[in-house]
Amino acid sequence: MPPRIRTSSRLGTAALTAGACLLATAVPASAAPHGFTPGAPGAGDSYFPAEGNGGYDVGHYDLTLDYDPAGNALKATARIKARATQNLSRFDLDLKQLTVKSVLVNGKKARFTRSGQELVVKPAKGLRKGRHFDVTVVYAGTPKPIERPDIGKFGWIKTPDGAYVVSEPDGASTWFPSNDHPQDKATYTYRVTVPKGTQVLSNGEPGGESTRGGKSTFVWNERTPMASYLAMLAIGKFQVKKGRTASGVPVITAVAPNRASELKPIHEGTIKAIDWEEKVFGKYPFQSTGGIRVGVDVEFSLETQSRPIYGFQPDQDVIVHELAHQWFGDSVSVKRWKDIWLNEGFATYAEWLYQEQHGGPTAKQTFDNLYKQPESWKYYKELWTARKTGDPGANQMFTLTPYYRGGMTLQALRERIGDKAFFALLKAWTKANRNGNVTTAQFVALAERISHKQLDGLFNAWLYTQTKPTTW
Ligand SMILES: [Zn+2]
């Protein structure tokens, strides 16, 4: 997402906005019979201890939803294909607010309890390590967004004629039971039934639509593994434009009818951005692209996989930013949220590079302009002393620090290792970690390998001190 505080990198002024977090308890490994033990209730992320779960790995989510926009009423069945990574006596899924009617594991009725955002499932029989298993959760209710002071509303958001979803970092559980942490990527099928005349857009590619008895069902498939926070639906009325990028990637752009004038610029801006980004970052990582402009103005846009959601009219910088995330964040995802600069610093730097190569200021000029701002500058603390870029804190992930100081870190690196190594590094990083999860330490190691330079001093100064770096 774009930062909450958006100083234009041309150092104009502020304007836009974007988008959160908690602590985990260790799982009591109360040994069940035969060495089967409960899966952990969290994925082990210090920023969001309850987010995600342990003991299994999801391969695919098949989500069948029936949604009535008039009453904001959701009736749904989630079929989850997973593999046990330990001998499991029980396991958790993350699900907020909605009511669970039944849970089946491998077709057999399972016991379940709710505890906060945890849906705790106890299968009739223990699940052996390495084995695949299916979970079917039937649930219903009135989906609601989560609200936090630092992000605003996220998760399932109602609009006058439908709804849409933007879930970073932990809002996926507002609409489907999931292993809600970027570590556990999976493919998705969505089958969404809505009143006839209402449309449904999503990640990936359309898989057909049918109408019967006053209702329409839309199928979408995301075939490339995706982090749960990037799963997206946009339900309502839309104008849709289709096309292809220069390299042949199908493009589907959609805008709400009251944003019709934005269709052409978003569609063309998307193609222009992807064409440029493929040259700089390497092959586009997914099977289609596009963008969706919802009909309400909200606080943020999000890089939902393959097709970002725009909550405000995006300029070309925002389009470049959200699409750069397709490489940095969506395809190459964080292993822990503390490394959020690997998403936001890179997407911000993509904007600076795009400007550099399209008649705007060079990334070096943008860096220099930020670096020379005096202590009286309103964002001075945000950049230099408020927090660490490489560990900003769960409630400060979407502040200026990971975005702008993160981008400056990359410019400092570029100057140190030279353009040739720097641009080779960007492509090597996206290629080596495609569909994967990464840490800052991995990026530092790859940068050192490609540049043949020792860079720990540079990264330490830029990412892990709360002072303005003077040497690096
Ligand atoms: Zn972003």
Side-chain angles (χ1 to χ4, degrees):
M1 53 178 86
R4 280 194 81 70
I5 309 166
R6 197 171 166 86
T7 67
S8 154
S9 41
R10 295 181 179 97
L11 282 192
T13 38
L16 301 183
T17 30
C21 174
L22 307 170
L23 285 182
T25 45
V27 193
S30 57
H34 318 299
F36 284 70
T37 54
D45 194 310
S46 62
Y47 281 18
F48 301 88
E51 199 188 347
N53 306 284
Y56 64 94
D57 183 67
V58 177
H60 187 74
Y61 292 93
D62 188 317
L63 305 175
T64 301
L65 310 177
D66 188 311
Y67 182 64
D68 172 23
N72 191 25
L74 180 69
K75 283 190 274 185
T77 301
R79 294 185 184 83
I80 302 166
K81 288 184 188 307
R83 188 178 55 84
T85 56
Q86 69 181 63
N87 285 337
L88 276 175
S89 59
R90 64 166 209 242
F91 61 89
D92 287 17
L93 289 160
D94 299 308
L95 184 68
K96 298 185 175 97
Q97 301 155 356
L98 298 162
T99 303
V100 174
K101 303 274 174 71
S102 67
V103 181
L104 302 179
V105 176
N106 290 335
K108 294 198 173 67
K109 208 169 170 182
R111 280 163 45 202
F112 64 91
T113 54
R114 303 291 295 274
S115 170
Q117 74 172 66
E118 304 297 310
L119 167 61
V120 183
V121 178
K122 185 154 185 357
K125 221 174 125 189
L127 301 166
R128 193 165 288 283
K129 181 179 178 179
R131 294 277 173 82
H132 291 268
F133 63 97
D134 297 332
V135 188
T136 302
V137 181
V138 178
Y139 61 103
T142 303
K144 286 191 280 288
I146 311 169
E147 189 160 7
R148 288 189 194 162
D150 59 325
I151 294 185
K153 284 183 182 159
F154 66 104
W156 184 281
I157 297 173
K158 180 86 188 75
T159 61
D161 67 349
Y164 69 98
V165 182
V166 284
S167 297
E168 190 178 23
D170 63 343
S173 52
T174 63
W175 64 287
F176 67 99
S178 60
N179 192 13
D180 193 13
H181 191 277
Q183 275 176 29
D184 190 0
K185 297 189 187 187
T187 52
Y188 286 71
T189 301
Y190 309 91
R191 303 165 208 278
V192 186
T193 300
V194 290
K196 189 180 162 186
T198 299
Q199 292 154 277
V200 180
L201 289 127
S202 188
N203 316 95
E205 294 75 54
E209 74 184 73
S210 55
T211 298
R212 208 171 62 184
K215 287 188 170 188
S216 297
T217 299
F218 294 78
V219 179
W220 287 83
N221 296 294
E222 175 52 69
R223 298 176 176 92
T224 312
M226 174 167 74
S228 48
Y229 78 91
L230 299 169
M232 172 274 286
L233 289 179
I235 299 171
K237 292 189 171 52
F238 293 97
Q239 293 185 10
V240 179
K241 193 169 170 62
K242 296 182 178 180
R244 279 185 191 271
T245 67
S247 64
V249 177
V251 184
I252 301 175
T253 313
V255 301
N258 61 346
R259 309 292 169 196
S261 64
E262 297 175 35
L263 182 58
K264 192 165 180 270
I266 294 175
H267 187 75
E268 289 173 1
T270 296
I271 292 172
K272 197 175 170 196
I274 295 281
D275 288 349
W276 175 80
E277 287 171 341
E278 283 205 290
K279 288 189 192 119
V280 183
F281 307 142
K283 188 178 167 356
Y284 179 71
F286 306 119
Q287 296 177 49
S288 63
T289 188
I292 297 170
R293 170 68 166 107
V294 293
V296 288
D297 279 321
V298 290
E299 291 181 354
F300 62 84
S301 296
L302 185 65
E303 60 269 23
T304 43
Q305 185 158 310
S306 75
R307 199 159 290 118
I309 289 263
Y310 297 107
F312 47 79
Q313 181 170 6
D315 61 15
Q316 188 62 13
D317 284 348
V318 169
I319 292 171
V320 165
H321 179 108
E322 303 306 345
L323 293 171
H325 275 307
Q326 304 303 311
W327 285 262
F328 305 103
D330 295 9
S331 175
V332 181
S333 303
V334 293
K335 199 168 188 173
R336 296 282 186 270
W337 283 113
K338 65 190 282 191
D339 287 326
I340 188 70
W341 87 278
L342 291 172
N343 295 8
E344 300 303 349
F346 282 66
T348 302
Y349 196 71
E351 295 178 52
W352 299 354
L353 267 182
Y354 185 88
Q355 291 164 6
E356 174 176 312
Q357 297 186 18
H358 292 82
T362 63
K364 166 76 173 150
Q365 286 170 328
T366 302
F367 175 101
D368 288 345
N369 281 339
L370 289 167
Y371 192 83
K372 74 179 184 202
Q373 294 301 311
E375 229 168 305
S376 56
W377 184 48
K378 69 191 278 200
Y379 301 126
Y380 188 91
K381 271 172 66 179
E382 288 283 315
L383 271 192
W384 306 123
T385 60
R387 60 192 69 85
K388 293 175 186 164
T389 313
D391 187 4
N395 292 313
Q396 287 86 36
M397 281 163 53
F398 303 105
T399 54
L400 208 60
T401 319
Y403 290 75
Y404 284 81
R405 188 158 163 172
M408 294 178 84
T409 304
L410 292 172
Q411 177 59 27
L413 174 66
R414 179 180 169 189
E415 287 171 28
R416 176 76 175 276
I417 68 177
D419 276 12
K420 196 173 167 215
F422 180 77
F423 286 103
L425 172 62
L426 292 183
K427 282 187 174 163
W429 178 244
T430 58
K431 192 175 175 190
N433 299 298
R434 199 173 166 125
N435 300 332
N437 291 88
V438 292
T439 62
T440 297
Q442 284 171 269
F443 183 69
V444 174
L446 186 64
E448 290 188 336
R449 196 151 77 237
I450 286 178
S451 67
H452 306 290
K453 287 187 159 60
Q454 191 171 346
L455 300 167
D456 51 333
L458 181 148
F459 283 108
N460 191 48
W462 281 93
L463 298 179
Y464 299 114
T465 66
Q466 283 174 253
T467 52
K468 185 173 181 175
T470 50
T471 55
W472 58 85

